[in-house]
Amino acid sequence: MPQAFGLRHKLFLALIGLVISLTLGLLLIVESRQRASIVHQMEKRGETIATHLAAVSTRSLLTYNFVTLEQDAEQIAQARDVLYTIILDRDGRVAVYSGRSEKQGMILPDPVSQRAVQTRATLIQQVPQTRKTVEHYDIAVPVFVPGSPEKWGTVRVGLSLREMQLEIAQT
């Protein structure tokens, strides 16, 4: 009889081990999918903001109406989690940089800016935290005029990842 109890005890422990393993595996899968979903939503939000700014700025960019460009950029920069908005002209020079009017007319030399200037499609770059900046997405959307292959400018939006990281941690 002691052997039967030993076998029953071993089967019970094996079953508990299996249930715990399956539960942990399921939790890891759910967490991974939740994380991916939150990241995707944040990227889509940033892309939508940048695309909207590009759409409303196209006419002003074509007519070099910098006052209207600045008003549009500053309005978008007030949105939650938006760190900055930048509108570059066709030469890659800053037409508008929200809150940083001293940058107007400059070519931004950093690698993130250079990749944004060269893109011909929506570009999302994750920018790591530095002493001067928080970790964020830099979303660049090129501005094209319908019917023309020529790129007239680039709209960039900096979107803080802080809220996304808090939501992931909470999950």
Side-chain angles (χ1 to χ4, degrees):
M1 203 57 139
Q3 289 178 340
F5 179 74
L7 182 59
R8 192 177 307 159
H9 186 68
K10 288 178 184 176
L11 284 173
F12 181 71
L13 288 177
L15 184 61
I16 288 177
L18 181 63
V19 168
I20 289 173
S21 297
L22 288 174
T23 303
L24 287 175
L26 185 61
L27 284 173
L28 288 174
I29 290 170
V30 168
E31 189 274 336
S32 172
R33 289 184 183 231
Q34 277 290 97
R35 177 186 298 265
S37 176
I38 292 168
V39 168
H40 181 71
Q41 286 175 353
M42 188 65 146
E43 289 174 350
K44 280 307 227 185
R45 180 172 176 260
E47 189 176 337
T48 300
I49 291 170
T51 302
H52 170 73
L53 181 57
V56 299
S57 300
T58 301
R59 177 169 281 155
S60 299
L61 196 57
L62 291 173
T63 60
Y64 300 100
N65 185 345
F66 294 111
V67 173
T68 303
L69 282 175
E70 187 171 0
Q71 290 171 348
D72 293 340
E74 291 295 340
Q75 183 178 7
I76 296 294
Q78 300 304 314
R80 176 178 52 100
D81 294 335
V82 174
L83 300 173
Y84 57 81
T85 53
I86 302 171
I87 302 174
L88 306 171
D89 65 15
R90 65 191 311 172
D91 300 322
R93 295 187 182 282
V94 175
V96 174
Y97 194 132
S98 61
R100 307 279 307 268
S101 57
E102 75 276 4
K103 299 275 187 183
Q104 191 170 4
M106 294 177 65
I107 293 179
L108 303 172
D110 61 283
V112 172
S113 296
Q114 290 302 306
R115 282 190 293 273
V117 166
Q118 295 169 1
T119 190
R120 296 192 59 80
T122 299
L123 174 66
I124 300 174
Q125 301 177 75
Q126 188 167 347
V127 181
Q129 182 173 346
T130 64
R131 284 184 287 169
K132 295 181 180 181
T133 63
V134 298
E135 184 176 13
H136 65 281
Y137 281 141
D138 183 276
I139 299 111
V141 174
V143 177
F144 291 98
V145 175
S148 172
E150 189 175 352
K151 182 173 143 183
W152 280 84
T154 305
V155 169
R156 293 175 54 199
V157 174
L159 197 60
S160 172
L161 298 182
R162 185 170 178 265
E163 187 174 313
M164 178 188 79
Q165 291 164 343
L166 289 173
E167 191 171 335
I168 288 172
Q170 184 180 15
T171 300

